[in-house]
Tab-separated table of all heavy atoms in Angstrom:
chain	number	residue	atom	x	y	z
A	34	SER	N	8.846	-12.294	19.992
A	34	SER	CA	7.675	-13.153	20.078
A	34	SER	C	6.669	-12.563	21.050
A	34	SER	O	6.975	-11.641	21.810
A	34	SER	CB	8.084	-14.556	20.554
A	34	SER	OG	8.507	-14.492	21.905
A	35	LEU	N	5.453	-13.111	21.035
A	35	LEU	CA	4.440	-12.629	21.956
A	35	LEU	C	4.847	-12.889	23.401
A	35	LEU	O	4.535	-12.121	24.303
A	35	LEU	CB	3.104	-13.302	21.655
A	35	LEU	CG	2.555	-13.053	20.236
A	35	LEU	CD1	1.183	-13.667	20.097
A	35	LEU	CD2	2.528	-11.575	19.913
A	36	GLU	N	5.551	-14.018	23.627
A	36	GLU	CA	6.018	-14.298	24.985
A	36	GLU	C	7.043	-13.253	25.432
A	36	GLU	O	7.007	-12.780	26.570
A	36	GLU	CB	6.649	-15.704	25.029
A	36	GLU	CG	5.662	-16.853	24.845
A	36	GLU	CD	5.223	-17.008	23.399
A	36	GLU	OE1	5.930	-16.517	22.503
A	36	GLU	OE2	4.163	-17.608	23.177
A	37	GLU	N	7.929	-12.880	24.517
A	37	GLU	CA	8.915	-11.853	24.857
A	37	GLU	C	8.237	-10.508	25.093
A	37	GLU	O	8.656	-9.718	25.931
A	37	GLU	CB	9.937	-11.733	23.722
A	37	GLU	CG	10.855	-12.935	23.640
A	37	GLU	CD	11.579	-13.015	22.303
A	37	GLU	OE1	11.105	-12.389	21.342
A	37	GLU	OE2	12.600	-13.708	22.231
A	38	ALA	N	7.150	-10.263	24.339
A	38	ALA	CA	6.447	-8.987	24.500
A	38	ALA	C	5.895	-8.842	25.904
A	38	ALA	O	5.843	-7.744	26.455
A	38	ALA	CB	5.309	-8.883	23.486
A	39	SER	N	5.469	-9.961	26.496
A	39	SER	CA	4.876	-9.888	27.825
A	39	SER	C	5.902	-9.554	28.895
A	39	SER	O	5.550	-9.259	30.033
A	39	SER	CB	4.189	-11.215	28.164
A	39	SER	OG	5.153	-12.241	28.298
A	40	GLN	N	7.192	-9.586	28.537
A	40	GLN	CA	8.240	-9.260	29.491
A	40	GLN	C	8.793	-7.849	29.279
A	40	GLN	O	9.673	-7.401	29.994
A	40	GLN	CB	9.381	-10.278	29.366
A	40	GLN	CG	8.925	-11.689	29.669
A	40	GLN	CD	10.006	-12.703	29.361
A	40	GLN	OE1	11.122	-12.351	29.017
A	40	GLN	NE2	9.663	-13.966	29.494
A	41	VAL	N	8.287	-7.169	28.253
A	41	VAL	CA	8.768	-5.805	28.002
A	41	VAL	C	8.133	-4.883	29.013
A	41	VAL	O	6.971	-4.882	29.228
A	41	VAL	CB	8.378	-5.332	26.597
A	41	VAL	CG1	8.866	-3.930	26.382
A	41	VAL	CG2	8.915	-6.268	25.572
A	42	ALA	N	8.793	-4.113	29.562
A	42	ALA	CA	8.513	-3.462	30.801
A	42	ALA	C	7.695	-2.226	30.962
A	42	ALA	O	7.825	-1.360	30.242
A	42	ALA	CB	9.823	-2.991	31.163
A	43	GLY	N	7.009	-2.058	31.964
A	43	GLY	CA	6.433	-0.976	32.725
A	43	GLY	C	5.250	-0.248	32.231
A	43	GLY	O	4.725	0.506	32.967
A	44	ALA	N	4.855	-0.419	30.953
A	44	ALA	CA	3.701	0.325	30.478
A	44	ALA	C	2.424	-0.295	31.026
A	44	ALA	O	2.372	-1.474	31.336
A	44	ALA	CB	3.668	0.301	28.947
A	45	THR	N	1.411	0.516	31.123
A	45	THR	CA	0.105	-0.024	31.502
A	45	THR	C	-0.441	-0.831	30.332
A	45	THR	O	-0.004	-0.689	29.189
A	45	THR	CB	-0.885	1.103	31.824
A	45	THR	OG1	-1.122	1.848	30.638
A	45	THR	CG2	-0.343	1.995	32.924
A	46	ARG	N	-1.423	-1.681	30.629
A	46	ARG	CA	-2.057	-2.487	29.572
A	46	ARG	C	-2.620	-1.599	28.468
A	46	ARG	O	-2.388	-1.833	27.286
A	46	ARG	CB	-3.173	-3.331	30.191
A	46	ARG	CG	-3.871	-4.250	29.200
A	46	ARG	CD	-5.092	-4.877	29.844
A	46	ARG	NE	-5.680	-5.844	28.965
A	46	ARG	CZ	-5.363	-7.131	28.935
A	46	ARG	NH1	-4.429	-7.593	29.741
A	46	ARG	NH2	-5.946	-7.967	28.109
A	47	ALA	N	-3.352	-0.531	28.844
A	47	ALA	CA	-3.964	0.347	27.849
A	47	ALA	C	-2.900	1.023	26.995
A	47	ALA	O	-3.042	1.124	25.778
A	47	ALA	CB	-4.841	1.392	28.542
A	48	LYS	N	-1.823	1.493	27.646
A	48	LYS	CA	-0.786	2.187	26.890
A	48	LYS	C	-0.077	1.243	25.935
A	48	LYS	O	0.184	1.587	24.773
A	48	LYS	CB	0.241	2.793	27.868
A	48	LYS	CG	1.376	3.572	27.179
A	48	LYS	CD	0.840	4.748	26.381
A	48	LYS	CE	1.979	5.571	25.796
A	48	LYS	NZ	1.472	6.682	24.967
Side-chain angles (χ1 to χ4, degrees):
S34 69
L35 300 185
E36 291 75 20
E37 290 163 340
S39 67
Q40 299 172 6
V41 179
T45 65
R46 182 189 186 90
K48 181 61 176 177

